[in-house]
Every structure is written in C-alpha cells, then in structure tokens.
Amino acid sequence: MKIKICGLSTEETMQAALDAGADMVGLVFFPKSPRHVPLSTACRLADMARGKAEIVALTVNMDLDGLSRINELVNPDWFQFHGEETPEACAAAKVMFQKKIMKAVPVSERADLEQAQFYAIVADMILFDAKPPKGSDLPGGNGVSYDWTLLKDLDLAKPFMLSGGLDASNVAEAIEKSGTTAVDVSSGVEREKGVKDCDLIRAFVAAARGATVAGE
C-alpha cells in the first residue's frame, strides 16, 4: 500500500507525514490552490523528504518552462499532472525530465474511466480523483468523493491511486471497495482549507496501514 499526503506546505506537517510513514509527499504548484507553495519553500520541503519519501510535484496545465524550473530546483521523483494535459504532453515531459509521471483522471461515473486507458500508455500511475463540484476552480482537493466500486477489478495495465474525499474514517472502506493499492489525501487531513493537521495526518496513515493488514 502506497500512501500519499498531498498539498504539504510547512516543515511541521512535512515532518509529521514523514514520521507517520507516508510513502509519497505532494507539493502543489498551482497559484489558485490554497496549498500552493513557492519554489523556495518547495525546495526546503523537498530536501526534508529526499531519501525518506517519494517527492511528487503537482502541476495544472503548466508549460514546459515552468516544469523545467521545478525539475531543476526541486528535483521531484514524480510529476503529477492534474489538469487537461494530453497523453502526448505527458509523454514529452517524461522523456524530457526523465521522471515518473502520474496523471489525474476525474471520475463521477463508469464512462469516465475510459480516458484512463489513453494515459496508461505513457503514465507510470493513474490517479482517480472525484470530478470537482460545479463552479470550483480547483481540479482537486475539494473533499468530494465518488463510487469507489467503479474501480474494482479495473484492468488498466498500470497501477492506480485512489483520491477524492478520503480521510481517516473512510479510507479503509475505500480500499476494500476499490481494490486499490495506493491512496492519496489532501483536504481530508486539514483542519481548515489548505492547513494540514499533524494529528489528522498520523490518523490517516495509521488507518490506511490498518486496512492493508486487515485485508491480507
């Protein structure tokens, strides 16, 4: 089970995620998001995590110049594309930066899963997130969920990660219903929008690990 804590923005919460045993830590580079971090902060946080957890740089429809700057300064292990990036753009970034690629696919019904097949050809992992609520200008981190059973027995040929509305109280159920081997959380470990809570981070990681053990 891979556990990703996304949208970390302070040294305290990054340390809490690392101490709790998170496998992946996400840094958001999207100015509209309350979780956005400037490059100087991102560099410090990435240095804390390096060698302890995989570092994921989340971007939304960013151009190659912006990605190149993140790649050079932050040196993430993964780029997570959470916008309307095409499979061709994902492939180009993978070749150019020699980093693993995670592509977010928004889901509300079974038909939405079809586009994942196109991205699975080039991406190293697919992240299934809930479609944003109407009127939201954020593609993720909205705290909304969807029918996790849609992902059960999904034949994708690439690993996938479950995201969207997860927290410590429901992550075990989500793992059981979806059959996922990876989970991602952002708003579900926040005490207010964009502000992570160390206790909630620890509780989420413990719940996800517990679900793994229970399912074995």
Side-chain angles (χ1 to χ4, degrees):
M1 179 62 60
K2 275 189 177 288
I3 301 172
K4 174 170 169 275
I5 309 296
C6 197
L8 294 160
S9 59
T10 67
E11 293 182 12
E12 180 188 21
T13 53
M14 173 62 79
Q15 193 61 56
L18 296 172
D19 289 346
D23 302 289
M24 308 174 87
V25 290
L27 303 172
V28 175
F29 300 91
F30 184 51
K32 289 183 179 180
S33 171
R35 304 163 187 101
H36 171 73
V37 287
L39 278 169
S40 57
T41 302
C43 289
R44 289 200 310 273
L45 296 176
D47 285 343
M48 290 177 64
R50 207 170 311 281
K52 300 171 185 174
E54 294 181 89
I55 301 160
V56 182
L58 185 158
T59 65
V60 180
N61 302 325
M62 184 176 284
D63 60 26
L64 285 175
D65 286 343
L67 295 174
S68 182
R69 189 160 173 77
I70 293 170
N71 187 60
E72 179 183 353
L73 296 176
V74 181
N75 189 23
D77 300 294
W78 293 76
F79 275 106
Q80 176 180 332
F81 295 137
H82 218 102
E84 298 168 353
E85 301 88 354
T86 63
E88 292 77 14
C90 293
K94 184 173 181 176
V95 171
M96 181 175 292
F97 303 121
Q98 295 294 297
K99 297 294 168 68
K100 289 178 281 191
I101 301 297
M102 183 186 307
K103 179 65 180 81
V105 173
V107 177
S108 65
E109 57 187 30
R110 186 171 299 279
D112 297 324
L113 302 179
E114 293 177 8
Q115 65 173 311
Q117 302 292 343
F118 300 103
Y119 289 105
I121 298 170
V122 296
D124 298 281
M125 181 176 283
I126 301 297
L127 183 141
F128 290 109
D129 198 0
K131 280 190 176 179
K134 191 174 182 180
S136 174
D137 58 358
L138 299 178
N142 293 295
V144 294
S145 187
Y146 55 96
D147 181 2
W148 299 313
T149 62
L150 294 175
L151 306 180
K152 192 75 169 177
D153 301 321
L154 182 66
D155 183 15
L156 197 57
K158 289 287 175 70
F160 69 86
M161 179 172 280
L162 176 63
S163 185
L166 299 180
D167 57 35
S169 71
N170 65 16
V171 67
E173 179 188 0
I175 290 169
E176 179 185 1
K177 287 186 173 181
S178 67
T180 188
T181 57
V183 290
D184 169 71
V185 68
S186 185
S187 61
V189 291
E190 292 177 347
R191 60 175 176 266
E192 58 185 86
K193 198 163 190 177
V195 182
K196 295 288 185 287
D197 182 282
C198 294
D199 290 336
L200 293 177
I201 290 172
R202 286 187 282 267
F204 182 86
V205 174
R209 292 276 181 240
T212 307
V213 173
E216 290 176 349

